[in-house]
Amino acid sequence: MGSTLKPMSLLPQTLTLLAFSHIVIILSNAETTSDYSTFIFKNCTTNTFTDSTKFHSETLSTFFEELVSKSSQEKFYKTTTGDDNNGISGFFQCRGDLNNNDCYKCITSLPEMLNTFCNKAVSARIQLHGCNVHYEADEFIEERSKFELLHKVCDEKKAVVGEFEEVRDAAFAGVESGVIDGDGYCKENYGLMQVIAQCEGDLGPCDCGECVTAALQIAEEECGTSLSGQVYLDSCFISYGYYPDGIPDKFNHERKGGNNNNGKLVAIVLGGAAALFIGYILFLSLKNLGKKEDDF
């Protein structure tokens, strides 16, 4: 004997579909945006390409195309594009713990930034949290010290003197040796402090060690007891953070691939809640189905 389902009997199934579609949307947005694209600083020369040097603009465009194409395969790439009259030399570098995909995403954002911040500059450098690019027109290349200070930030918040200095000194010492053993990149956790150091990709071990030592010395002398600091020299950088309540999990458990574990955790939590909710809706559906069968 046939029967017509009442509108109310379709409610649990409808709710199930709506809940599932909303959960899919939530989970697709649960992955938080990585901080590798955070802007740090720019250096743009005051000399600019003129209309008569249009070939430089074309060469610069070719230069960036080459860098972007290599960024999905390499974390450091140095090249010269153009001829003797219109050559442009430069490189890109990604942070040592970024995977190839994140490196590519970081580098692809740089050409537009350079065009915005350093339009037509014959020499420029843009530093993001996860990568940087530097170029110079060959006729404007200047000799620079590997230890030249480009950028420095010291946290206004200060730590209690004593324990902080002991932890800082030990962490700094660890990263000094670690950056040489780690082929130019090192992330060192010591107690409540984390230090990251990286050298330019083609810098030799001895020069890398000296550069990092110089950057750490600047951090020690000029940042003092600041809870965090960043020092960027021409050929290396160091970044440190002191966490009185413990190093956050998103820093402490970050894998070399640079994956965003914080976003994954959010997805897992939401996924668990979603499963419980769907289970509850299905239970109501089955319960409603049982009542209808009893009516027959």
Side-chain angles (χ1 to χ4, degrees):
M1 183 176 179
S3 64
T4 303
L5 292 178
K6 297 180 181 179
M8 285 299 293
S9 66
L10 295 173
L11 183 59
Q13 290 89 335
T14 304
L15 286 175
T16 300
L17 291 173
L18 288 173
F20 183 74
S21 62
H22 279 81
I23 288 160
V24 169
I25 294 172
I26 291 171
L27 290 178
S28 66
N29 290 288
E31 191 79 14
T32 57
T33 302
S34 176
D35 66 348
Y36 58 71
S37 60
T38 302
F39 177 80
I40 303 295
F41 73 90
K42 64 179 177 65
N43 274 351
C44 313
T45 184
T46 55
N47 295 323
T48 59
F49 295 126
T50 63
D51 292 338
S52 62
T53 57
K54 64 177 182 178
F55 292 109
H56 279 115
S57 298
E58 295 173 359
T59 304
L60 188 59
S61 178
T62 303
F63 168 78
F64 282 126
E65 287 175 5
E66 185 176 353
L67 293 193
V68 170
S69 68
K70 293 291 184 180
S71 63
S72 62
Q73 309 160 31
E74 309 285 345
K75 291 185 180 180
F76 175 79
Y77 182 73
K78 196 169 192 176
T79 188
T80 298
T81 306
D83 54 33
D84 293 339
N85 297 321
N86 300 293
I88 290 178
S89 299
F91 66 88
F92 79 79
Q93 183 164 21
C94 289
R95 206 175 61 210
D97 58 347
L98 259 62
N99 59 36
N100 289 340
N101 186 48
D102 286 344
C103 181
Y104 173 78
K105 289 179 181 178
C106 193
I107 296 301
T108 52
S109 67
L110 289 172
E112 184 177 348
M113 285 189 180
L114 278 165
N115 187 52
T116 301
F117 294 133
C118 307
N119 188 26
K120 296 184 179 182
V122 299
S123 175
R125 177 171 183 154
I126 295 284
Q127 178 73 55
L128 305 185
H129 186 65
C131 65
N132 73 87
V133 66
H134 174 71
Y135 75 85
E136 292 176 303
D138 288 350
E139 67 264 38
F140 293 98
I141 290 179
E142 299 178 353
E143 289 294 327
R144 300 184 307 275
S145 168
K146 296 182 180 67
F147 307 151
E148 179 185 349
L149 178 62
L150 302 179
H151 183 73
K152 171 178 63 69
V153 176
C154 302
D155 196 339
E156 294 181 358
K157 296 179 180 179
K158 304 294 182 180
V160 178
V161 179
E163 181 182 353
F164 168 82
E165 292 181 331
E166 181 181 340
V167 172
R168 180 199 62 196
D169 293 346
F172 281 11
V175 83
E176 277 185 271
S177 59
V179 75
I180 298 175
D181 298 335
D183 296 325
Y185 174 80
C186 179
K187 179 188 288 186
E188 182 78 13
N189 286 358
Y190 190 92
L192 301 175
M193 178 171 285
Q194 182 177 91
V195 187
I196 298 175
Q198 184 167 13
C199 294
E200 191 173 306
D202 60 351
L203 204 61
C206 291
D207 287 340
C208 178
E210 290 180 13
C211 189
V212 169
T213 297
L216 291 170
Q217 186 174 354
I218 292 173
E220 183 177 345
E221 293 176 355
E222 300 190 24
C223 290
T225 58
S226 292
L227 288 178
S228 64
Q230 299 175 352
V231 176
Y232 289 84
L233 304 187
D234 185 72
S235 296
C236 69
F237 82 89
I238 69 97
S239 175
Y240 78 87
Y242 181 75
Y243 306 94
D245 298 325
I247 298 174
D249 287 342
K250 65 178 180 179
F251 300 139
N252 202 28
H253 300 302
E254 186 180 51
R255 296 193 302 142
K256 189 175 178 60
N259 295 320
N260 191 335
N261 291 314
N262 191 43
K264 289 182 178 179
L265 178 61
V266 173
I268 291 170
V269 171
L270 287 174
L276 288 173
F277 184 71
I278 290 176
Y280 176 69
I281 295 298
L282 289 174
F283 169 76
L284 291 179
S285 299
L286 293 173
K287 185 178 179 181
N288 185 65
L289 222 65
K291 284 184 177 179
K292 286 196 306 176
E293 290 177 357
D294 290 341
D295 292 338
F296 295 121

